[in-house]
Every structure is written in structure tokens, then in C-alpha cells.
Amino acid sequence: MAWRSFLTNLLHTPLRRLLAAWVELRLIEPEPEQLAIDRHLPTLYVLAHPALSDVLLLENLCDRHGLPSPRSRLDVGQRPLRACLALPAAKRRFGRRSSPTPPFTPLIDHLAAHPEDQIQLVPISVFWGRAPGKRFGLWKLLAADSWPFTGRLRRALAVIVNGKNVELHFGAPLRLSELLDTRPSAITNRKVARLLRVHFRRLRTRVLGPDLSHRRTLIDGVVTSPTVKQAIAEVASAQGRSEARIEKRAWRYGREIASDMSYPVLRFMDRLLEHLWNRLYDGVEVQGLAQVKALAGAHTLVYVPCHRSHIDYLLLSYVLYREGLMPPHVAAGRNLDMPLIGGLLRRGGAFFMRRSFKDNRLYGAVFNEYLHRLLSRGHPLEYFIEGGRSRSGRMLAPRPGMLAMSLRSHARTSLPGTSGSGRGLVFVPLYIGYEKVLESGSYLKELKGLRKRKESPLSVLRVLGQLRQPFGRVAVNIGEPLHLDAFLDRHTPQWRSQRALSRPPWLTRAVPRLGTELAQRINAAAALNAVNLVALVLLATPHRAIEARLLARQLRLLVTLQRRLPGAPHVSLPEGEPEDWIARAADLGFIERRDQALGELVLADAAQASLLSWYRNNVLHLFALAGLTAFAFHYNARLRLAELHDLVAPSWPILCRELFLAPSASLEAALHAMLETLADEGLLESWRDAWQRPRGQLEANECLQLLGRLIQPTLERGFLLLTTLLRRPSGTLSREALIEQSRQLAERLALLSGLEAPEFFDVRLFDGLVESLQSEGWLWQEQQCLHYGQSLERAARQASTLFDPALRQRLLQITEAR
């Protein structure tokens, strides 16, 4: 035995050195320093399958980080056991699959005889490249690490080809003694192996994703599915054409839709995007990804980010790939399926959809079936519930299409006996926050009325021309995941009994609730940064100019409010001090700093102010309650808590709906906490049983006014709409007429007051206000006209005391003149 060990070491030493010189570990998870290994206990490393390259790689890593050596031997039983072993692979003999006996029996017998001893098992997974498993493909046959275990030749090629793209994942250490019971050691042996195999399978699913069919095979399965076959027959009958001709059209739709994820393209995109981010941004900060990794192996994930830029889906796929997660299949608009760019996106995982296909029965059936097959097989998905990019910077109202299709697919998948039953679907909300977005200039033009420019390869070249500009940092924040089964059980418990229906009645109630919940969770993970903080303060000034000293104080106040009373649970705050944030905004070109004899001033011209409004709107919801509380003291010097509550209570639900905020459990308790916080910051003071503006403190009063002006445009927009509505008797205005008259009134008021904010009279915001009033029961529609009651009139009269009397008089004059 000694000579065999000597020969093994003689062979392994040069191979280890060669491997150390060639291989680069792109990802080690978790970092060895964070691994919860007790270095004083005997340690057994367990590999998913036998591979010399994995053993040598692990030996190098353990030596480098001072971990227990895999070359050591555990003194158990009559023969010492190596500290690194692999689960034996199943073999086929005479057409039958045999499962070899797991190798843990000596350890189990030793612990049974010596219960005072401890042995820890550490699962090790090594990935040489990360190819999504496909049943066909030259690359899979040659070198890529995919779902089927590799042979010796393929593994040697994998080491050569993928030596610079290797991942090593440590599992949580497992105390073997905790798994022992009174049952025979053979049963415990199989139990330990089963636990380890489940861990390896889930991790492999998380990193590689489920097995992929070849694109042609997948499309063939879609077209020949019963639902698409039925649609083909119906369309052929309705149009008087042969089914064969309609089937060809279905094939064409399938090719138009389906992605063709390719591992070489994923690697190319990874290198390309790494270079792009280094040129564009100062860094990408990711927060909350640990909870996604914990879910990825056993659940089907649907990523639902906010949509602010074309960069969003590239950025998210890059982040997930870099962090050891399988990049999702991304739903992209058909407008992006253009020459060169479309093919690259398709091989990176994008599948393309038309903007609307409700009138195309066949296309809808093909798309629904394709989406169902992705979800039922457990592939991670990504789509934007807003439908398109937000030109105003706000969270847009969720569109029902993809959510409804996902819910129908989940209902089909969860039927007993189906292949996907038992695998939960989890929505992962994400907030992507930019210090400077690539499309800000085009958004500004579109808000001013110019038509959206059609995407083309030339537009990509125009973007590349901006690479020399600074774009700051990017934040990717993971919100609270939403488990779909639990959500449906809570809101529509009848879904389980009706899930076999193709169009179940609970769907019309569940989809809007789901969209609102996801939008709230996205907003709850917002990222505060230097630009949106400066925008919040500077745009609250009357003339877009402020003293640098006062700006710094107000910035510090906003961050303090978020620390003490966070507007959302997963918000991230910027590093550094207010002076650093001001300098950052200036470096990115959003503000001008001007030295004066009496102190530095910070200013923004009209163009800068219009751009800053987009960034302010990203995070305005975080300060809705603080702004509403402060605004109540603009024209009310002193208020009791009950008076404040009565004053703002009608407006608060409307604000929550417009800004996608989760309403407080108790508005009165939230207001009391906010009053105390503002008093601690010196912006209010307590007087007997009431609260009032601080007397004789000009700067504190100015800070309170700036805080209140954050929410002032939103409140004034609602007041404009109510003024327009209540000037006419109930039942005399249609919804469309109310929205258009309110928009015209807002536009006129903005021009008269010199307000450079096109979004102030954005028709979509007025449409959302009407919908919110209807949802809250203030308005209802009969015979195409809107009706209201005395309760709305009383609430409007009470809320009018919040506003400047001069504004009320001007609105009265404009509406009377109309």
C-alpha cells in the first residue's frame, strides 16, 4: 500500500502544479473564510461524481486557504479512509440501472462505536464551464460541463477549454452524528447518500438550469401539443384553409418566438458585458441575492424587475451568471429582433413577443404553450410587468398579459400527476437603480411630445458613442420573493378546485392583485443614490437653486428619515457623506456648483431639472408619508394628531395606489411615529397635545417646507382633477372628458407658473387617479358617465385646506373661464 500511495503522489504532484498554473476559479461560493468548517474536526469532502481534476483542484484550494487537506486520511475502522471521496455513479448492466453502495458505512460504524467522536461532511460541486444542458450540440459533446456527467476525454477537454471559467461551490458542513438513529447502518448509509444527491441535484439545477431541448425539438413539441392543435383546427375552419397550411404558420410563429440559448454566446456575452460595465459604470452593487440562491434549486423562478432601460435585462443576466445562477429566459419585445442584435439576444436567452396578439388566436396559443413548457420544466424566466420602459421614472401600472399566462401555466403544472407538480413558482421582484441612465435624453424628448424612435442597429451604434461619458454606479436590489401558491391560497383559495379550467374565473381577480403586490415589492427594494437624493431636494426649491450648506443638511435629513422610519424594508442607502453626493451629481453633469462670496450655491438649468425629475420619481414613494406630513404644516401652523389624520386620511390611499406603496397597518400610528421623528430632527415641536412648526428657526422651517414640496405636485394634480370634476354635477362628465380637461388644466397651470415638468400633465397619471378614486369607492361609472356622492365633496373641501389659497383662487378662475 505504501508504494501505491508513493506512486499516486508522484503522479498527482506535477498534475496539481499544472492545474494550478492553468486554472482560474471564477467563483468560489461561499468564500473559504466564510465557510462554517470546524477545522479541528475530521473532515470528509464529498464530490458529486469521481473526477481527478476536481480532486486536484480542491487540494490546491484547501492548501491555499488553510482548510483541512483532502489528502489526509480519516482513522476509522481497520482501513484509513481518504478525506475526499465521490458518490459512486449508477451503472447499467444487462439493460438495468444498478446503484452502487454508498461509501459511508465505515464512518457510520465508527461513530456508533465511538459516540463521542464527530465527523463533518462537506459537499463539493465543481463546474468546468456552465453549459445549459442540451440534448444535442457539438459544444456539449466536446467540452462544456452540462447535465450529463462527463467521461475522461470530455473532462480533459473541459479542463483545457474552460480552465479560465471554473466555479467551485461548498455545501454547508453536515455533522454525520446528527443523522444516526437506531436503524441499521446500511439504511443510514443510503440516507446520507440520498441527502447529498438531493443537494447536488438542486445546486446543479441552480447553476445550469434544467435540461434544454434542442430549439427545433422544443418548437415541434409546442406545435404538436393538444392546445395548439386545437387552435390550428379552429383557425383553419374559420379561415377556410387547410390545417397543413395553418400548421406551417404555427411553425413560423414558434421560430419567431423561441430562444436558442447557447453556452458559447453566454460566455461571449459575459466577457463583453464585463468590459461594457467597466467602461460605462463605476461598479454594480447587488443586494439580497442570498435568498434567491436558497430558492433556485427547488423552485421555478420568475424574475420581475422594474424596467428603466434597455440595459436592464443584460445587466440582470450578467449579475446572475456572475453569481453562479443560471441566466433566465427573457421576454423581449419583437422590436429588438433586428439584424445582428436579435440573433445575439436570442442565443443569450431572449424569446420575442409581439406587443399585442389578442386578435391572433393561433399566435396566442403558440406563445402560451411555449411559455408553459419553459415554466413546467423549471426554467428561470424574466419579464417586465410594466410592459415597456418607464419614461417618467415612476413605476408603471402592471400589465396583465404575462402574469395571466404565468398563472394559467402554473395552474396546469400543479395539477396532480403532471411532471411539474410539487415544484413551487416564486416571483423575484428586483429594483434596478441607475445614477445615470443611457436613455435619459430620449425620455425627455418623448415626455415633451416627440415620437419614440424605432430601435435599429444604428441606435445601438449611437449608444456605443456614449461610452466615454461617466454613468456612475448601478444598484440591483432583490425584493421580498413572492411564493405563488401561498399568494393564491390567501387571495383566491378556490384556485385549487378550478385549476383544470382553461380560463378559470379566479384569474380576473388574482392577476391585478398579483401585479400590484409585485409592483409594491419592487418599490420596496429601491436604491437611494447621490443623484436621486440631490434631485429630491433641488426640485423642491422654487427656482432650482439652493445653498450648498442647506442642500447638505436636507440630504442628511432624508437619509436619516430612511434609517429611522424606512419607507420600504429593503431600501439601500448610499455610502459617504452629503458633500460626496453633491460632488457625485456634479461630476455626472446633473447640477452646477457656483462659488459666491456668501457661500457656494448649487443650481440646475431647465434641461438639468427636467432630467432630474426622472431620477426623483424613481424614489419619490420612499418619502410619501414624510412629505404628506410636512405638507400638512405648510398652511396649518399647528395640528393635533387626530386633526392631521382627518386631513390626510382621504389622500393617503390614493397616494399609495399611485406610488405603489404598501399601506400602513395603522395610518394614525405611522403619523405619530413620523411626527416624533420630525420633532427629534428639529423640524417640528410638541406643544401641549399638538404639533407645530418651530418658532424663530428659519432654517428648520425651510427644511420642513422642502420636505413637504416633495409630494406637493402629486397632491396638486389630484386637487386639479377633483376641482374639474366637482365643478360639474354628478353624472355629466365621462371618464375620458375628465382626464382630458384635467390634463389641459394642469398644462396651463404649469405654463403660467413656469414649471418645467412635462410629467405634471401626463395623461397616464390622471388616468391612474381616476382608477384609484373608483377603486376606493369615491367614483363610480354609469352609462359612460362618472358619478360621485356627498362624501367626495366633503373630503375635497377638507383636503382643500392643505393647499395655497392663491392656488385655489387661480384654479377657480381658470375653471370658470373654461
Side-chain angles (χ1 to χ4, degrees), residues 400-606:
M402 291 294 291
L403 291 175
M405 286 185 275
S406 299
L407 263 62
R408 283 202 298 267
S409 172
H410 180 66
R412 285 176 61 188
T413 304
S414 58
L415 286 170
T418 57
S419 60
S421 58
R423 185 179 178 89
L425 192 150
V426 178
F427 286 94
V428 182
L430 296 104
Y431 178 92
I432 304 177
Y434 300 89
E435 284 188 335
K436 188 174 182 179
V437 73
L438 280 170
E439 300 95 333
S440 55
S442 64
Y443 290 169
L444 180 59
K445 294 176 183 176
E446 290 174 34
L447 282 174
K448 289 184 176 180
L450 294 180
R451 294 183 61 183
K452 175 180 175 290
R453 180 177 289 177
K454 186 178 180 181
E455 286 81 4
S456 67
L458 290 178
S459 63
V460 176
L461 294 177
R462 281 192 292 267
V463 170
L464 294 178
Q466 303 180 38
L467 295 183
R468 296 188 180 183
Q469 300 179 27
F471 284 87
R473 301 183 68 84
V474 186
V476 180
N477 291 351
I478 313 296
E480 184 67 28
L482 186 147
H483 293 256
L484 185 56
D485 283 347
F487 175 86
L488 292 176
D489 289 340
R490 185 167 65 252
H491 292 289
T492 53
Q494 68 273 24
W495 79 277
R496 292 187 183 274
S497 60
Q498 299 174 351
R499 53 190 166 178
L501 302 177
S502 59
R503 291 188 177 275
W506 54 265
L507 201 65
T508 55
R509 299 189 302 276
V511 170
R513 287 181 178 178
L514 178 61
T516 300
E517 179 76 17
L518 290 174
Q520 290 174 353
R521 295 193 185 201
I522 293 170
N523 268 351
L528 281 172
N529 58 45
V531 175
N532 53 42
L533 279 169
V534 169
L536 284 166
V537 179
L538 196 57
L539 296 182
T541 61
H543 304 291
R544 305 183 300 272
I546 190 172
E547 294 174 324
R549 177 186 53 80
L550 181 58
L551 173 59
R553 172 173 173 172
Q554 194 72 2
L555 292 174
R556 186 174 282 108
L557 170 66
L558 294 180
V559 173
T560 301
L561 286 174
Q562 282 303 307
R563 287 199 176 104
R564 293 193 56 180
L565 293 173
H570 299 282
V571 174
S572 62
L573 301 177
E575 297 178 353
E577 297 296 324
E579 291 75 15
D580 303 325
W581 308 333
I582 297 171
R584 183 77 163 180
D587 291 340
L588 293 172
F590 288 106
I591 58 175
E592 178 189 349
R593 306 178 72 175
R594 187 176 299 173
D595 288 329
Q596 290 284 322
L598 299 180
E600 184 184 20
L601 298 178
V602 176
L603 310 94
D605 59 29

Side-chain angles (χ1 to χ4, degrees), residues 754-817:
L755 182 64
E756 282 285 341
E759 61 129 5
F760 183 70
F761 45 88
D762 187 350
V763 67
R764 289 171 295 186
L765 295 179
F766 286 105
D767 184 64
L769 275 172
V770 174
E771 186 174 342
S772 297
L773 289 169
Q774 288 181 285
S775 300
E776 292 296 321
W778 298 102
L779 288 179
W780 62 94
Q781 190 164 335
E782 293 179 6
Q783 297 179 351
Q784 305 300 317
C785 287
L786 294 173
H787 294 255
Y788 59 86
Q790 293 182 355
S791 58
L792 180 63
E793 294 178 319
R794 286 194 300 269
R797 280 196 299 269
Q798 187 175 9
S800 67
T801 60
L802 287 170
F803 298 94
D804 182 4
L807 172 65
R808 284 182 275 166
Q809 184 64 28
R810 174 170 285 185
L811 286 178
L812 185 62
Q813 291 173 352
I814 296 175
T815 51
E816 286 181 346

